[in-house]
Amino acid sequence: MRKKAILWALLLALALTACGQSGEVLSEDSPPEPEIQEPERSEEILREPRQIMYEEALEYTNREENNNGFLLAEREEDGVPFLEFTRPDVPDFSLRINQDLTEAVVEYQGRTMTLEREETPNGSLYDWYVSAGYGGLVSGYSMPFWVDLTGDGQPELVWLRGGGGTGVYKNTCTVYDISGEGEIIPLVEPWEEMAASITVEPQGYEDGCVRSLVTDREGSTYTAWLPVSEGLEEPGEIWRDCSYWPGESSHTYLEIDQDRGVLTARMRFGLEGAYQMTGYIGELCTTLAYDAERGVIARSGPVSVSVYDKPEI
């Protein structure tokens, strides 16, 4: 009987040793291993600061040949970024543009003015996109100028926008009276008047081109040439289908002459025809200045004509 008890004791000891070596849990009271948890990332760490302009574009805009006398910086206030134009020569001037590019606020001579947004040709509103031409035609041009257009010795803030796509280029210019209340000084676009200042008469086909006679209001005449498409059955008769439409073309330019305090307007002109896309054969040019009696900026000089050289076909 005692031998059986000893034998059972030995078997129980061996069983317990085997359980310990196999790693099985011997007691339900053994504490569970602690779970390893990822540290919580705060919302501040997850939030990345928004950048309004690329650093390369900002650097390009501030180059002396591009900045029109302004300095542009991206700043932040209460965690919200904005763009700010300042001028080293005018310490009390500041132009702030919000991060959505929908609002521009000027501080000047102790006044604060929110600038009115201009309407685009399709009825929407221009935003305050800033570009000195960085990136080519894709980014276009949209920059402020500091120039006295009214001749009163006080500067106007002039915003010039330009750009377009294939076959189209349209410049717009908005003049703000920041010495007053920031109101817009109306600008009378000259394009229709410029187009009506000449006549264009197609006269024949010569050396792969339509030859036209251009006459201005002073009676001066010019010979202009329009290359025609190849592969036409009767290219010599194509000139009979061409005509001049005296209206605004799809290439109009406004340039700012800061020294003279005027604007220069340029518009290409050409012919329309049944067998080719609109072709430009020359350019019209005039100046715009402030008309104190009307309180507007309008055409102030004659319309000059220049025609392109005859192409080598």
Side-chain angles (χ1 to χ4, degrees):
M1 188 70 181
R2 183 172 178 178
K3 289 182 179 181
K4 288 183 179 182
I6 294 173
L7 182 59
W8 278 110
L10 289 172
L11 290 174
L12 181 60
L14 288 173
L16 291 174
T17 303
C19 289
Q21 290 176 350
S22 65
E24 295 178 3
V25 179
L26 301 180
S27 171
E28 294 181 359
D29 296 332
S30 300
E33 294 183 7
E35 295 183 6
I36 301 176
Q37 297 182 350
E38 291 285 338
E40 292 186 4
R41 300 181 66 186
S42 67
E43 184 179 344
E44 190 68 28
I45 296 176
L46 291 172
R47 183 180 66 84
E48 295 182 2
R50 177 175 177 181
Q51 188 178 34
I52 303 175
M53 289 186 69
Y54 291 113
E55 292 183 5
E56 294 83 356
L58 194 63
E59 185 274 331
Y60 181 86
T61 303
N62 280 318
R63 292 180 185 176
E64 185 176 355
E65 65 270 23
N66 299 329
N67 62 21
N68 303 326
F70 294 90
L71 291 178
L72 178 62
E74 185 166 328
R75 307 190 190 284
E76 187 174 298
E77 190 172 273
D78 298 328
V80 180
F82 61 91
L83 296 174
E84 183 177 38
F85 281 101
T86 56
R87 291 187 64 87
D89 58 336
V90 188
D92 64 343
F93 170 81
S94 169
L95 168 59
R96 290 189 174 190
I97 298 173
N98 68 351
Q99 63 178 332
D100 297 324
L101 308 180
T102 57
E103 183 179 76
V105 178
V106 168
E107 292 185 4
Y108 182 55
Q109 295 181 340
R111 296 185 303 279
T112 300
M113 299 160 274
T114 299
L115 300 184
E116 182 182 345
R117 295 166 69 190
E118 278 275 52
E119 191 174 280
T120 69
N122 65 8
S124 60
L125 294 175
Y126 284 108
D127 61 19
W128 294 100
Y129 176 67
V130 177
S131 173
Y134 179 80
L137 291 179
V138 174
S139 60
Y141 185 88
S142 182
M143 283 286 289
F145 285 76
W146 187 264
V147 56
D148 179 12
L149 291 178
T150 60
D152 63 355
Q154 297 293 322
E156 279 72 53
L157 183 70
V158 183
W159 198 283
L160 182 66
R161 296 179 176 89
T166 303
V168 177
Y169 192 97
K170 172 73 175 179
N171 259 14
T172 60
C173 184
T174 312
V175 182
Y176 296 95
D177 181 15
I178 58 171
S179 297
E181 299 299 325
E183 63 269 22
I184 293 177
I185 299 176
L187 187 152
V188 180
E189 292 193 339
W191 315 120
E192 301 288 339
E193 190 177 6
M194 292 171 69
S197 70
I198 61 172
T199 60
V200 182
E201 302 172 70
Q203 293 187 316
Y205 174 81
E206 184 178 328
D207 300 329
C209 298
V210 173
R211 185 184 73 254
S212 298
L213 180 67
V214 181
T215 306
D216 65 16
R217 285 178 175 170
E218 304 301 319
S220 300
T221 59
Y222 312 81
T223 301
W225 306 89
L226 174 67
V228 301
S229 303
E230 297 181 359
L232 298 176
E233 294 181 1
E234 296 181 355
E237 296 298 316
I238 189 175
W239 67 275
R240 298 184 185 278
D241 297 313
C242 294
S243 62
Y244 174 67
W245 181 67
E248 178 182 353
S249 79
S250 57
H251 272 64
T252 59
Y253 306 79
L254 285 170
E255 301 166 353
I256 298 174
D257 188 331
Q258 299 187 76
D259 295 329
R260 297 169 57 201
V262 298
L263 303 179
T264 300
R266 303 181 187 277
M267 184 178 74
R268 295 180 182 179
F269 68 94
L271 295 175
E272 292 185 343
Y275 299 106
Q276 79 283 327
M277 295 176 62
T278 300
Y280 294 109
I281 59 179
E283 185 176 272
L284 304 173
C285 180
T286 191
T287 55
L288 283 72
Y290 182 67
D291 185 334
E293 291 185 3
R294 300 163 58 192
V296 301
I297 296 171
R299 187 173 73 85
S300 60
V303 179
S304 63
V305 181
S306 61
V307 296
Y308 301 147
D309 293 336
K310 182 181 180 181
E312 296 181 4
I313 305 298

